[in-house]
Amino acid sequence: MSHAPFSSVTPPEFQIALIGGGPRGAGVLERLAANLPELWTTDARIVIHVIDPHPAGPGRIWRYAQSPLLKLNSMAADVTMFTDESSTIDGPVRPGPSLIEWAGLVNAGEIAIPRVDPRLRHEIENLSPASFPTRRLQSLYLSWFYADAVGLFPETVEVVAHRASAIETVDEGRAHRIRLDDGVSITADIVLYSLGHTGADAEPEHAGLIDFARRRELFYLPPAFTADADTRPIGPGQRVIVRGMGLAAVDLTVLLTEGRGGRFDRGGDGVLRYTASGHEPRLYFGSRRGVPYHSKISSTLVGERPEARYFTPAIARSLEKSLNALDLSVDVWPLIAKDMLWGYYRELFTGHPDRVEASWDSFVQAFDRLDPRALLLAAPNTDVTNSTPRGHAVPSFADDERIEHDAQAFVDLVEGTVAYADDRLFLPELDRPLGGALVADRGELQELVRDYIRTDVSLRTLPEHSATLGLFIALLTSLFTLSDIIDSPKWTAQSRVRDIHGWWLGYFSFIASGPPAHRLEELVALSEAGIVEFLGAGIWVEADETSGIFRAGSATTPVTVTASALVDARLPETAISRSDNELLRSLVASGAGLEEIVTDGAYSASTGRLSVRQLDTRLLGSSGSHSSRQYAIGPYTNSPFVGAFSRPRTNAISFRENDKVARAILARLAELADDGADQRRSALRAR
């Protein structure tokens, strides 16, 4: 592409608006800078407007102004914002420091950061690869990354940060006018929405609980970003039912205990204990599984690194090509499950031969013959009708005699070759550790859950249990492979809603995105101190109008509890038509954006997400056509869900998508520049 210079004419100027300046927006900005030399060869100027009420780089979730107690659930060595040699992208790879490497450069004086308080300075100086950094430290890294990306642009590109919220975009034909809540309006040739996680108006159940709490003068916190919620009305000693035991519940616990002056100390016996401040409430925890997310893994591989065997990219492409319709739970999930077990047992047998009683080759010969579907059901004394992931329909093959035979064969294989019970992994037990247990005694239930948590921490941190890392690697590899076919039109509508946007991400998070091990140790210490009580699996909650109180119980125990406060500790469901983001709602209301509706004749439903073209993330409007100037990325779109940052050398999906959309924006901007040049030539000839 070439452009004839016009020496007597001021170079034209083009405007790009990045609405959302958090890590994803910053990642796209870096990719725009990296791809600019190849895709932008005109002398036209570019102004990039970064619009976010929070600091560009960290955004809202990772902003500096939050509790110093809140942490990432990733180790410092596992966080990067930079592409590397593993990245399969069309644009140039631009390596850079991971979080731990960045901290080393800060300590060496090679990277300058703003003055920080002694607590954060101490963290930077003592950060290790296995440390779980605070969100404030991550905020500094993301701020530096954003500034580094801005510094890549030539003088012909200006980056302008607007500390405001975009509330409306108006299509004016040749450009879009963006109205900000501070009264400023911006005209942009191209708009990228990178809004990150958004909240939503209350669903009917939550609206009813809000009304009940208001009428009865109780406290209720609906699904929200727990770290941002105002929990000051919760008083010392107040009884609080917490529904959910994921990362939002961990944040809540930290803020209501250590955040209120409590203290954790490790005794000479190595046991962590909690000393209360007297300002803590009483927390009653329950969830569908009745246990917290699995601990983050800190062990390292000892044996042979597991490679995909049953769900490889080639197998995924073959399934997509050969099947008339794709159902994740039937066609793909059994293959992922078999790869998970393959990854786990490969590390156990090749890395810890002293813990098994057979050779890896003999195990593989037997394992290869098993039907993958059988492994979803295989566990000692497990009812196969109750052994699938939460929210997942019971497989139609549960009563197949051959499947049941292979399920028992797998149980026999593991029990006959794996020496220790703690090393025996069965997927139903992994997903539902409390199973169908019924515990009448309140104290017995507490010890049951505490023992489970202690064992889980050991299995995911001690060197001899590195097989859990093999499991994690296999699951992560499957996630990447699945992303390659996730935009296939062959997925059934029900599978897209029920599976892809349903139980699958929850299952992945439960296994792979849990809290640091020390947070689970703290939860045990809080339980032993009487601050936390576990309610069990299958939690139910009701608003008792007669007594004017919240009541809760579970399927694990007949014991019920009452409380004057209830917290739904999870993020709101994605539903752009009910989003609390005014801009998203206006996109749908104006027809510029469209909430995705999936249908295949037999089933029709909304995914709650914004429809984009997977090729380049352009918006799909209500007219049925894709916008030529508006793009969107993030968890509120129907693109594959990916994190804003990633582990180094994993060919991160987010980096691939950032590069894809950056190149699409620059290519489209170049087309607009060509069109403008043609118009100017025509105008000169007409004179």
Side-chain angles (χ1 to χ4, degrees):
M1 176 176 60
S2 63
H3 302 274
F6 292 90
S7 57
S8 61
V9 179
T10 302
E13 185 174 272
F14 294 89
Q15 313 278 329
I16 299 173
L18 301 186
I19 304 180
R24 284 306 300 277
V28 172
L29 189 73
E30 186 272 339
R31 289 289 84 201
L32 286 170
N35 283 286
L36 194 74
E38 174 192 348
L39 299 178
W40 189 251
T41 57
T42 177
D43 58 353
R45 291 181 55 80
I46 299 175
V47 178
I48 302 174
H49 300 273
V50 180
I51 303 167
D52 198 312
H54 301 283
R60 175 166 67 96
I61 301 297
W62 308 104
R63 68 190 185 279
Y64 186 85
Q66 59 183 303
S67 170
L69 296 172
L70 297 177
K71 296 184 177 184
L72 279 70
N73 67 327
S74 297
M75 292 184 287
D78 290 341
V79 175
T80 189
M81 285 291 292
F82 288 94
T83 53
D84 54 40
E85 70 278 5
S86 71
S87 302
T88 54
I89 55 177
D90 293 328
V93 168
R94 193 177 78 90
S98 65
L99 180 56
I100 185 62
E101 293 166 341
W102 172 86
L105 294 171
V106 170
N107 287 328
E110 297 180 37
I111 289 179
I113 61 171
R115 182 182 297 273
V116 297
D117 58 65
R119 181 173 184 164
L120 189 51
R121 171 56 65 182
H122 180 269
E123 181 184 0
I124 296 172
E125 292 174 349
N126 292 276
L127 197 70
S128 74
S131 297
F132 287 89
T134 63
R135 293 181 193 170
R136 293 201 306 159
L137 178 55
Q138 175 71 348
S139 180
L140 292 178
Y141 175 61
L142 293 173
S143 294
W144 172 83
F145 173 82
Y146 171 80
D148 181 66
V150 171
L152 295 175
F153 288 105
E155 292 183 355
T156 53
V157 178
E158 180 184 7
V159 180
V160 181
H162 301 266
R163 290 291 294 271
S165 294
I167 55 178
E168 184 183 30
T169 56
V170 179
D171 187 349
E172 296 184 335
R174 297 176 61 85
H176 287 273
R177 181 168 53 84
I178 304 162
R179 187 164 60 91
L180 309 185
D181 64 357
D182 62 359
V184 172
S185 287
I186 296 168
T187 299
D189 298 285
I190 289 179
V191 180
L192 170 67
Y193 303 93
S194 56
L195 300 172
H197 289 283
T198 64
D201 293 339
E203 299 176 47
E205 178 196 2
H206 305 131
L209 290 169
I210 291 171
D211 177 67
F212 175 74
R214 178 187 55 79
R215 289 186 289 104
R216 296 294 190 165
E217 298 184 343
L218 307 175
F219 178 87
Y220 172 59
L221 180 63
F225 297 90
T226 313
D228 295 343
D230 183 6
T231 56
R232 287 175 298 178
I234 298 176
Q238 185 173 3
R239 296 161 67 89
V240 183
I241 296 167
V242 182
R243 181 162 55 175
M245 297 182 71
L247 297 180
V250 170
D251 286 347
L252 177 78
T253 305
V254 171
L255 295 175
L256 292 178
T257 56
E258 193 176 6
R260 291 194 171 187
R263 189 180 75 250
F264 291 100
D265 297 293
R266 195 173 298 279
D269 56 1
V271 176
L272 192 70
R273 293 179 176 85
Y274 182 73
T275 301
S277 68
H279 299 293
E280 303 90 344
R282 290 284 306 278
L283 303 174
Y284 296 87
F285 278 95
S287 67
R288 292 178 300 177
R289 295 182 176 93
V291 296
Y293 280 13
H294 287 284
S295 165
K296 272 290 186 176
I297 299 169
S298 59
S299 55
T300 57
L301 287 179
V302 180
E304 302 169 5
R305 184 178 179 86
E307 302 289 342
R309 184 176 180 89
Y310 309 102
F311 186 59
T312 64
I315 290 172
R317 289 191 297 270
S318 176
L319 285 173
E320 200 277 335
K321 182 178 180 180
S322 63
L323 295 177
N324 293 325
L326 278 171
D327 186 305
L328 188 138
S329 62
V330 173
D331 304 315
V332 176
W333 167 232
L335 302 178
I336 293 175
K338 192 165 187 178
D339 256 346
M340 288 169 60
L341 290 167
W342 165 267
Y344 177 88
Y345 284 110
R346 182 181 179 88
E347 170 64 11
L348 179 65
F349 275 77
T350 63
H352 306 280
D354 57 310
R355 304 182 70 84
V356 296
E357 297 175 336
S359 70
W360 172 236
D361 288 342
S362 65
F363 185 91
V364 170
Q365 289 179 11
F367 187 72
D368 268 340
R369 292 193 295 267
L370 300 175
D371 191 307
R373 297 170 295 178
L375 304 175
L376 300 176
L377 313 173
N381 305 313
T382 295
D383 177 2
V384 297
T385 64
N386 190 37
S387 58
T388 51
R390 293 288 179 176
H392 181 287
V394 175
S396 59
F397 48 79
D399 57 356
D400 185 302
E401 289 187 6
R402 181 196 164 194
I403 301 302
E404 291 188 14
H405 173 273
D406 278 13
Q408 185 58 51
F410 178 64
V411 172
D412 293 342
L413 174 64
V414 170
E415 291 184 336
T417 59
V418 178
Y420 303 102
D422 282 350
D423 288 332
R424 297 169 185 167
L425 177 68
F426 300 101
L427 294 184
E429 294 179 345
L430 180 70
D431 182 50
R432 299 186 181 182
L434 297 185
L438 184 61
V439 183
D441 182 77
R442 203 165 182 164
E444 183 183 347
L445 175 59
Q446 306 317 300
E447 196 54 45
L448 175 67
V449 177
R450 288 196 291 258
D451 281 348
Y452 162 79
I453 295 173
R454 293 187 189 102
T455 299
D456 184 64
V457 169
S458 296
L459 290 175
R460 298 169 79 85
T461 58
L462 296 181
E464 62 266 31
H465 294 304
S466 62
T468 54
L469 183 57
L471 169 78
F472 169 81
I473 291 172
L475 181 59
L476 188 66
T477 302
S478 293
L479 178 73
F480 292 158
T481 301
L482 180 62
S483 72
D484 292 337
I485 60 170
I486 207 71
D487 61 343
S488 171
K490 290 186 175 182
W491 293 107
T492 66
Q494 190 170 18
S495 186
R496 187 169 287 280
V497 174
R498 178 198 66 198
D499 302 333
I500 295 173
H501 293 307
W503 66 265
W504 163 246
L505 288 180
Y507 182 86
F508 179 88
S509 296
F510 176 63
I511 304 298
S513 297
H518 70 269
R519 290 299 192 208
L520 295 180
E521 282 190 280
E522 290 168 2
L523 189 60
V524 170
L526 289 167
S527 171
E528 292 177 324
I531 303 297
V532 163
E533 183 169 328
F534 303 113
L535 297 179
I539 186 178
W540 55 263
V541 173
E542 66 180 19
D544 188 332
E545 286 283 5
T546 302
S547 302
I549 205 78
F550 293 114
R551 189 180 304 278
S554 77
T556 307
T557 179
V559 175
T560 63
V561 298
T562 58
S564 58
L566 168 64
V567 174
D568 271 318
R570 61 181 175 84
L571 296 181
E573 296 289 341
T574 300
I576 60 169
S577 59
R578 294 189 294 105
S579 173
D580 63 359
N581 186 289
E582 187 175 353
L583 180 61
L584 272 181
R585 292 199 311 271
S586 71
L587 278 177
V588 177
S590 68
L594 188 67
E595 187 168 353
E596 183 187 42
I597 304 294
V598 292
T599 182
D600 54 16
Y603 179 84
S604 180
S606 168
T607 66
R609 287 163 167 78
L610 192 67
S611 293
V612 298
R613 189 169 83 158
Q614 301 300 319
L615 178 65
D616 54 16
T617 76
R618 286 195 290 158
L619 285 190
L620 175 65
S622 58
S623 65
S625 60
H626 289 89
S627 170
S628 63
R629 294 172 181 253
Q630 296 192 92
Y631 303 76
I633 56 174
Y636 58 92
T637 73
N638 62 342
S639 291
F641 174 77
V642 293
F645 38 86
S646 181
R647 296 162 65 95
R649 290 172 290 283
T650 57
N651 192 21
I653 300 173
S654 56
F655 299 167
R656 285 184 263 162
E657 191 172 68
N658 291 347
D659 190 71
K660 176 177 67 176
V661 70
R663 291 178 66 85
I665 287 172
L666 288 173
R668 179 58 181 145
L669 207 64
E671 292 174 359
L672 296 177
D674 278 338
D675 292 344
D678 290 342
Q679 292 171 10
R680 290 192 297 276
R681 291 190 188 96
S682 297
L684 287 173
R685 286 194 296 266
R687 291 178 181 177

